[in-house]
Amino acid sequence: MLNKDVKIINVGIADIQGGQSPSMIRTTLGSCIGVVFYSPEKKVGAMAHIMLAKDPSGKDSSKNPHKYAETALPELVKRMAELGCNKGDYFARLFGGASMFKGMNSSFLQNIGDLNVSVAKEFLDKEKITLLVEDVGGHEGRTISLYLDDGRILLKKGGFEKYLYKVR
């Protein structure tokens, strides 16, 4: 049961949200990925719900920058800066990227999740943002909730729930 002072911030598809303790940030993922940044010292965090790795046309990302990993992840870094954090103050966790389209004969649809995860990891590595925890792939969707008071994540997947406490 959540304390009545806790504000729940929902992250939609192709969306980025941030907040500070005692808020909680939540999203539900399939082949999309959720990239979570959290600063344990400042008790602030941000989450991106990313649909696709790259803009295939090169035209949509200017209208919908949060939809694509290549444009959303720099925006997520900016959101953390707006919350008073520099790189090195926060750590990353990565979720989603499930193969939700099994049975379809499209390699594009079957590989959306893998490509999303790959591009996100490349970005984190290039930007030297430490990836602490990941729960990616498989064939099941996930709901993730980031509690900004201590950085724990409640992961719901396949009818099970577990808390992930690693924040640094």
Side-chain angles (χ1 to χ4, degrees), residues 10-128:
N10 289 303
V11 182
I13 297 171
D15 189 17
I16 292 175
Q17 295 293 328
Q20 62 190 28
S21 180
S23 296
M24 188 241 312
I25 305 173
R26 174 174 48 205
T27 198
T28 299
L29 306 160
S31 58
C32 294
I33 57 169
V35 181
V36 177
F37 289 167
Y38 179 72
S39 168
E41 282 77 26
K42 297 188 178 185
K43 297 184 184 283
V44 299
M47 183 184 297
H49 183 134
I50 299 168
M51 286 180 66
L52 297 169
K54 299 179 183 215
D55 178 2
S57 70
K59 298 174 184 166
D60 190 43
S61 59
S62 60
K63 287 186 283 188
N64 300 303
H66 300 161
K67 184 175 181 179
Y68 304 99
E70 66 184 354
T71 49
L73 292 170
E75 291 292 319
L76 190 60
V77 169
K78 281 186 198 170
R79 183 62 52 94
M80 288 302 285
E82 291 166 4
L83 291 165
C85 295
N86 298 312
K87 280 189 232 169
D89 292 343
Y90 54 89
F91 302 92
R93 290 171 280 175
L94 180 61
F95 301 91
S99 179
M100 302 297 289
F101 303 100
K102 62 182 178 183
M104 299 200 62
N105 284 338
S106 167
S107 64
F108 171 75
L109 288 177
Q110 290 177 352
N111 295 321
I112 289 173
D114 291 340
L115 191 54
N116 286 344
V117 169
S118 175
V119 169
K121 285 182 174 181
E122 286 172 20
F123 175 85
L124 295 172
D125 189 51
K126 183 181 84 152
E127 295 295 318
K128 297 183 177 27

